Amino acid sequence: MKQKADIAVIGLGVMGQSLARNIASKGFKVIGWDRHKEKSEAFLKKYANKNLQAVSSYKFVAEHLKTPRKYLLMVPAGTAVDEVLKNLKPYLAKGDIVIDAGNSLYTDTIRRTAEWQKKGIHFVGMGVSGGEEGALRGPSIMPGGSEVAWKALSPILKKIAAKDFKGNPCVTHVGQDGAGHYVKMVHNGIEYGVMQMMAEAYQLLKEIYGLNPEKIAAIFKGYNRGKLKSYLFEISEPILKRKDDFKKGYLIDNILDKAGQKGTGRWVAIDALERGAVLPTITLAVYARSVSAQKEQRGALEKLYKKPKAKALIPLAKFVKELENALYAGMISSYAQGFELIAVAAKEQGWKIDFAEISRIWEGGCIIRADMLNFLHQAFMKAKGKQVHLFTIKEIRNTLQKDLPSWRNVVGSGTMNGIAMPALGSSLNYFEQMTSAVLPANFIQAQRDFFGAHTYERTDRKGIFHTPWSNLKL
């Protein structure tokens, strides 16, 4: 190569190739490398141009990069990242930047950041959302790491990112060390919750009202023209309308009801439990996928119990509107839980995370991109940088109060018809609990004190109390 490259992409799988092509298309010179020689050769044959080349070795990569060198890793999370770092080590110099753009666990990123900082290397954990198409045409990008690294990377990242509703790049410096990967992890958790709520809406319309996929597609298309406008509703119409290639009917009716997962949803649920944060919608959405995997057990148990006969408690036209309101309110509840977890983590980890900026960069490119995020962005802007609970913001409060009756009706309809509603139901329960000044936890405290002398506090005076319950007759 006559001219040195601006950045190297290590790992030329689907996402790596797409990001490399995206960067090159914006005028930056990119070199790519993959440990599988055939991938590098195929990439070179198919996409090579004056800005984009595949190379044969780490040594060649290092020799043909501008300094400080920028390495973007697109390899599977876990040991693969450490293996690449081990192989890169001989070719790294003080001031170089290594970006892990995979779905790494944020604690691994914190560890790697500390390790490489001692050597003068900037390690950046960077969340990237948008799938193959987003990586190629413009993803939402969530980089962590040092301010120095952000300043060096921002000219490239701002060029390749998606655009928000005002045309600004969907990228921001999220915070130090693992902050970028942490926010991406929560993003994926919210994605789990939203997808589960949509699946529950699909089931309600199918089982209670007997609608075929084409009619449900029409309803979802209508939702996508209103306040639920989003990427996930956009793709739902062609999914539901797609005819099966192997038999008569719709493809959706012949897809096995076992949902897969790659771990980020589980990570965020575990993290919330460890921090004592409240995350029921995302946690129940993870459980819902685990339950779906138990196909044989579910089939056997269904034979032992009689389900109620489906009965429409609300006329279809009214239910369609109420379902729209319920989904909107449920999604706000899910976002509220996600942002609250980020707030707890930011405080404990010492990260300064701007909620308005996070909601803004999710407006475009990412899987959960939706008009709702612009609403949340504006709401957080009015909070003037304070990490407030979503339910306290006036605009959110007005929306939830308006949609609450519909939300309760929809969850009630599902429950009365024997339809499980883990996401919509838990998001409503979260709202009901968080907006209740008094909960029945006093009863639990009394029980704990009875059997374990765990003590309790009182409502009418300060101090820690214990009652000699054993003196009472049982």
Side-chain angles (χ1 to χ4, degrees):
M1 294 180 70
K2 295 181 180 179
Q3 190 175 349
K4 290 194 173 184
D6 297 292
I7 192 168
V9 175
I10 309 295
L12 295 175
V14 172
M15 288 290 288
Q17 289 189 24
S18 296
L19 276 175
R21 291 169 60 198
N22 185 352
I23 297 169
S25 72
K26 302 304 188 295
F28 299 100
K29 293 199 174 296
V30 184
I31 49 178
W33 180 88
D34 195 281
R35 68 188 181 94
H36 299 288
K37 185 178 178 182
E38 62 274 15
K39 280 190 180 180
S40 295
E41 291 175 347
F43 178 75
L44 188 65
K45 184 177 180 180
K46 193 170 184 180
Y47 299 116
N49 57 52
K50 65 176 184 178
N51 286 337
L52 186 59
Q53 295 290 324
V55 297
S56 58
S57 69
Y58 284 113
K59 187 174 184 293
F60 191 99
V61 170
E63 290 173 348
H64 291 81
L65 276 177
K66 295 176 183 177
T67 56
R69 300 177 186 87
K70 302 176 186 69
Y71 300 88
L72 193 155
L73 278 52
M74 279 305 306
V75 299
T79 56
V81 177
D82 290 318
E83 184 67 23
V84 171
L85 290 172
K86 179 182 176 182
N87 292 328
L88 268 180
K89 186 177 179 180
Y91 309 105
L92 292 173
K94 188 175 181 179
D96 285 352
I97 302 169
V98 179
I99 311 128
D100 175 10
N103 274 331
S104 287
L105 184 60
Y106 78 96
T107 50
D108 287 341
T109 303
I110 292 173
R111 169 179 59 81
R112 291 169 183 142
T113 300
E115 287 176 3
W116 289 97
Q117 191 173 34
K118 294 174 184 176
K119 301 174 177 67
I121 309 299
H122 298 282
F123 188 86
V124 175
M126 186 172 80
V128 178
S129 179
E132 178 185 359
E133 183 179 352
L136 180 62
R137 304 186 186 281
S140 175
I141 308 175
M142 296 152 260
S146 68
E147 289 282 355
V148 173
W150 164 244
K151 187 175 180 180
L153 294 172
S154 60
I156 295 175
L157 300 182
K158 287 179 179 179
K159 283 282 188 180
I160 68 169
K163 298 294 185 288
D164 66 18
F165 292 154
K166 289 187 177 180
N168 298 313
C170 290
V171 60
T172 192
H173 182 217
V174 176
Q176 297 297 312
D177 49 64
H181 275 146
Y182 191 88
V183 167
K184 174 57 164 56
M185 179 182 76
V186 175
H187 162 284
N188 285 19
I190 293 171
E191 179 184 309
Y192 272 56
V194 170
M195 292 174 71
Q196 179 61 32
M197 281 185 250
M198 292 176 66
E200 290 165 21
Y202 157 79
Q203 187 179 18
L204 290 170
L205 292 168
K206 177 184 177 182
E207 294 193 13
I208 298 177
Y209 293 90
L211 302 185
N212 66 26
E214 191 99 21
K215 290 182 179 178
I216 298 173
I219 291 169
F220 281 10
K221 181 179 181 179
Y223 288 167
N224 196 45
R225 290 172 174 169
K227 60 185 181 182
L228 290 172
K229 182 177 171 61
S230 62
Y231 171 72
L232 286 171
F233 269 108
E234 178 185 324
I235 66 173
S236 295
E237 183 190 358
I239 286 172
L240 290 165
K241 292 170 73 173
R242 178 63 184 260
K243 295 294 179 66
D244 200 318
D245 293 333
F246 296 101
K247 58 194 294 189
K248 187 177 180 180
Y250 298 94
L251 174 60
I252 191 71
D253 290 332
N254 296 305
I255 294 177
L256 187 65
D257 57 326
K258 291 172 67 173
Q261 52 182 311
K262 291 188 174 181
T264 48
R266 184 172 67 253
W267 288 349
V268 72
I270 292 170
D271 189 78
L273 286 168
E274 290 178 341
R275 295 185 189 277
V278 186
L279 203 73
T281 304
I282 294 169
T283 303
L284 267 294
V286 173
Y287 282 144
R289 294 197 187 189
S290 298
V291 170
S292 76
Q294 298 180 32
K295 178 69 173 176
E296 290 185 10
Q297 180 80 299
R298 290 188 285 115
L301 289 172
E302 183 184 47
K303 297 173 183 177
L304 304 179
Y305 296 91
K306 187 178 180 180
K307 291 279 187 181
K309 187 176 181 181
K311 183 179 179 182
L313 305 176
I314 305 170
L316 177 60
K318 183 181 179 183
F319 185 80
V320 167
K321 181 60 182 174
E322 294 214 327
L323 182 57
E324 180 181 31
N325 293 338
L327 286 167
Y328 194 73
M331 289 175 190
I332 288 177
S333 178
S334 184
Y335 276 105
Q337 296 164 44
F339 278 114
E340 188 66 8
L341 175 59
I342 293 173
V344 172
K347 184 177 180 180
E348 293 179 356
Q349 302 292 151
W351 298 325
K352 293 182 179 179
I353 297 180
D354 187 333
F355 281 5
E357 271 292 275
I358 297 305
S359 51
R360 182 191 69 77
I361 67 171
W362 288 349
E363 287 178 6
C366 70
I367 301 302
I368 61 172
R369 61 185 182 266
D371 281 11
M372 179 188 291
L373 281 157
N374 184 250
F375 174 56
L376 298 182
H377 175 214
Q378 297 304 320
F380 280 127
M381 285 287 287
K382 291 181 180 179
K384 298 180 180 179
K386 295 180 181 179
Q387 291 186 338
V388 298
H389 195 287
L390 264 179
F391 291 172
T392 66
I393 299 172
K394 183 180 178 181
E395 290 77 11
I396 301 292
R397 190 168 71 245
N398 291 341
T399 297
L400 290 177
Q401 286 177 336
K402 184 182 66 174
D403 290 343
L404 187 56
S406 295
W407 199 4
R408 288 170 174 153
N409 284 342
V410 167
V411 173
S413 291
T415 302
M416 292 299 291
N417 279 282
I419 295 174
M421 309 200 68
L424 270 172
S426 61
S427 62
L428 175 59
N429 288 334
Y430 173 77
F431 172 83
E432 303 288 19
Q433 288 182 301
M434 289 298 293
T435 56
S436 296
V438 178
L439 293 171
N442 56 326
F443 184 74
I444 295 171
Q445 282 300 87
Q447 289 181 318
R448 293 178 72 244
D449 191 52
F450 188 107
F451 63 68
H454 293 296
T455 73
Y456 56 86
E457 295 177 84
R458 292 181 59 96
T459 59
D460 56 354
R461 62 197 68 195
K462 292 183 179 180
I464 303 298
F465 297 86
H466 166 63
T467 295
W469 303 97
S470 59
N471 294 337
L472 301 176
K473 291 183 179 181
L474 296 180

